[in-house]
Amino acid sequence: ESVDKAASEAAEFAQKSGFGDDALFAIDMAVREAVANAIKHGNKLDDTKSVEITFINLNKALEVTIRDFGEGFEVEE
């Protein structure tokens, strides 16, 4: 449910920001994948943890930030 909700909100934000159908499709797919990964790999399917999503309209670009509340990891490793 949360993946669908995130994708829906992303699409609504992007559409209001003037993005076309091709961009909306790509945004939908990227948000779905990122949120699913945050839930599964970041939060380890712990339903007590949330996923934070922010959208920023950068005129000809859209910035989407997805944050989980898992343990994290060292990039170098």
Side-chain angles (χ1 to χ4, degrees):
E1 292 175 16
S2 55
V3 172
D4 289 337
K5 183 177 183 202
S8 175
E9 289 183 17
E12 182 180 335
F13 185 88
Q15 189 172 31
K16 287 180 180 177
S17 298
F19 290 88
D21 289 341
D22 289 342
L24 292 173
F25 178 76
I27 291 164
D28 179 85
M29 295 298 292
V31 168
R32 285 178 185 279
E33 183 68 20
V35 171
N37 284 341
I39 292 168
K40 183 176 181 181
H41 302 293
N43 290 347
K44 305 280 191 230
L45 301 174
D46 182 345
D47 61 1
T48 66
K49 295 181 180 177
S50 61
V51 174
E52 242 176 44
I53 305 169
T54 59
F55 308 109
I56 300 173
N57 181 351
L58 301 172
N59 293 323
K60 293 185 179 186
L62 176 67
E63 180 178 302
V64 180
T65 304
I66 298 173
R67 178 178 183 234
D68 64 61
F69 291 89
E71 294 178 18
F73 59 92
E74 294 296 326
V75 175
E76 295 79 23
E77 293 178 14

